[in-house]
Every structure is written in C-alpha cells, then in structure tokens.
Amino acid sequence: MAPSDRRERREVALIVGGGPGISASCARLFATNGMAVAIAARSTDKPVLHELERAHGVRRYGCDASDPAAVEQLFSTVGRDLGAPTLVVHNIDGRVPGIFGKRIVDADPDLAFDTVRSAAFSAFLVGQQAARTMLENKPNDEGVRGSIIFTNASAALKGFPASGAFAMACHAKSGLAQSMARELMPQGIHVANVPIDAAVGLPQEDGTRAHRRAGPTVDDNMADPDRIAEIYLQLHRQHRSTWAFEIVLRPWVERW
C-alpha cells in the first residue's frame, strides 16, 4: 500500500504530552483501533515512547508545546508524515517544580507564570493549530471534522489552598475549552474538557499501579489511565446529536 493510500484509510491521532500514564494509554488504544498515532513531547528519548514506537508503530516528535513556532511546526510535520489529525489530545499537566504546595504569599511569580504557560498557554497553542487543521478536513459521513480533547485536573473545579498557580492554569484551560466548543462544535469539531478529579495510578513493572505522591493503588482508589483512554476514544466516536463537552472522571471512593 502506498503511503498516500495508507493516509486515506487511517485516522490520524496526535497526542501532545508524552508520558507513561494517560498519553501512553491513549497511544496504545488508538493504535490498536487502527489509527496512525503521533505523540509529541519535549524529550522523545523516554523509554515509554521508544516502547510505543516499537510495539505499536507510534511516531515520536519533539515539541515544546508552549512555543508557538514549535507547535505550528509539529502539526505541519505530522500532516506531512501521517496526514491531517482528526483526533488531538492535549495532555500536559504544566506544574513546574518549586510551585507545589506554595501559599499565595510565598509562590514565586516566575514559577506561577511558567505554570500557566506550560498548562494553559500550551493548550491554547495546540487547540489553535488543531482547529486550523480540522477546519480544512473534509467532513465525514456524519458531518464531523475531528475531535479536540483537553485533559484537565481537580483544580479546574475547585481551587485548593496553596495551589493558586495551578488553579489559575486549570480554570484558564476550562475557559479555553468552553469557548472553543461554542465556536467549533457548530462547524463539526467536537471539543471536550476532561477534569481528572483523582490521582492517576501509573502502571508499575510488577503490574500494579501507583502514584508518585499518593503511593500504590488499593481497590481502584486511583484513576486507571487505560480506562481514561477508553473514555477519550468514546468521546471521539460520539454522535454529534449527543456530544459531551465536560466529563469529570473520579474513582468510586473519591471524596468530592
């Protein structure tokens, strides 16, 4: 099969943010469902990205998602290599070391700005390029041009004490997603905001799941990234008569 024929027959998914949790789970699931998958990260040398490439044919791309020129180049290169994406996932937490647990009187303004830039501004840049790309896509038989999904966090719903910078960034991402949804959904582009109101238990070498700060999972008390990926694929496949904008995911034992 010629490369051009392959692009015509396969959907293209682009995941921005590369790690062993939600991004890796999405890449595996999308690939096993027949999509050509690209994953972008600042560093493409992470072991999980090499494994995704080896086992699932996922293409790795280097990109600083807070750099406008880099994001524009990413979409151009993915479009050239695989075809125009019909599914884009922005999965960047954005918190920087040194801002965790800082009271508002102690938070470093530069680190607060970096958090907003890494989380919300990168979401704007990725969303902008995804919109520009998808508006050029030919609608499918249901009139849909593509899906844009933003991973968000508990801070999108509630500003915790000593977490002002992250709350600011997450609320900004929610506002961005809501504005984009109102603008783009009537044009055939599904936009969804998905706050994960939980710790995400990452897979460990022994088959268990754990979180770097919350410890090991016990009785499904943490979000499973494989299950989150399933929700993302379901969102992408929703009929446009019942598109969901915001889905909050939390374990059955989470206090909220």
Side-chain angles (χ1 to χ4, degrees), residues 207-246:
T208 63
R209 291 189 295 114
H211 184 272
R212 68 186 185 280
R213 299 178 70 190
T217 58
V218 179
D219 199 19
D220 291 324
N221 67 324
M222 296 184 196
D224 185 335
D226 287 346
R227 303 307 179 190
I228 295 171
E230 290 173 0
I231 298 296
Y232 285 13
L233 185 59
Q234 291 168 10
L235 282 168
H236 177 57
R237 291 177 170 174
Q238 281 182 334
H239 189 270
R240 65 178 178 173
S241 67
T242 49
W243 272 348
F245 164 65
E246 187 166 83

Side-chain angles (χ1 to χ4, degrees), residues 8 12 22 27 29 96 111 189 196 201 203-204 220 228 230:
E8 290 174 1
V12 177
I22 296 171
L29 182 64
V96 296
L111 295 182
I189 300 174
I196 312 297
Q204 306 298 303
D220 291 324
I228 295 171
E230 290 173 0

Side-chain angles (χ1 to χ4, degrees), residues 6-13 26-37 56 86 233 237:
R6 189 179 299 113
R7 285 198 295 269
E8 290 174 1
R9 296 188 184 186
R10 300 181 71 189
E11 277 201 280
V12 177
C26 284
R28 284 189 292 266
L29 182 64
F30 299 165
T32 57
N33 276 266
M35 297 183 185
V37 180
H56 298 283
T86 55
L233 185 59
R237 291 177 170 174

Side-chain angles (χ1 to χ4, degrees), residues 98-235:
I99 204 67
F100 284 98
K102 294 295 184 182
R103 299 181 306 159
I104 193 65
V105 295
D106 298 323
D108 184 320
D110 289 336
L111 295 182
F113 182 80
D114 287 346
T115 298
V116 173
R117 185 170 182 264
S118 296
F121 185 58
S122 73
F124 168 82
L125 295 176
V126 171
Q128 181 181 63
Q129 291 301 323
R132 287 174 175 170
T133 298
M134 291 180 188
L135 286 171
E136 296 296 322
N137 287 346
K138 180 180 178 181
N140 65 15
D141 293 340
E142 296 181 352
V144 179
R145 302 176 188 272
S147 304
I148 305 170
I149 300 173
F150 296 100
T151 301
N152 217 322
S154 303
L157 310 170
K158 48 193 175 184
F160 291 93
S163 188
F166 191 54
M168 181 168 55
C170 290
H171 276 65
K173 195 184 296 186
S174 290
L176 168 70
Q178 188 175 117
S179 175
M180 287 179 58
R182 289 190 165 115
E183 178 181 343
L184 297 174
M185 285 168 68
Q187 300 182 74
I189 300 174
H190 185 187
V191 179
N193 182 47
V194 186
I196 312 297
D197 189 21
V200 177
L202 302 184
Q204 306 298 303
E205 292 184 0
D206 62 1
T208 63
R209 291 189 295 114
H211 184 272
R212 68 186 185 280
R213 299 178 70 190
T217 58
V218 179
D219 199 19
D220 291 324
N221 67 324
M222 296 184 196
D224 185 335
D226 287 346
R227 303 307 179 190
I228 295 171
E230 290 173 0
I231 298 296
Y232 285 13
L233 185 59
Q234 291 168 10
L235 282 168

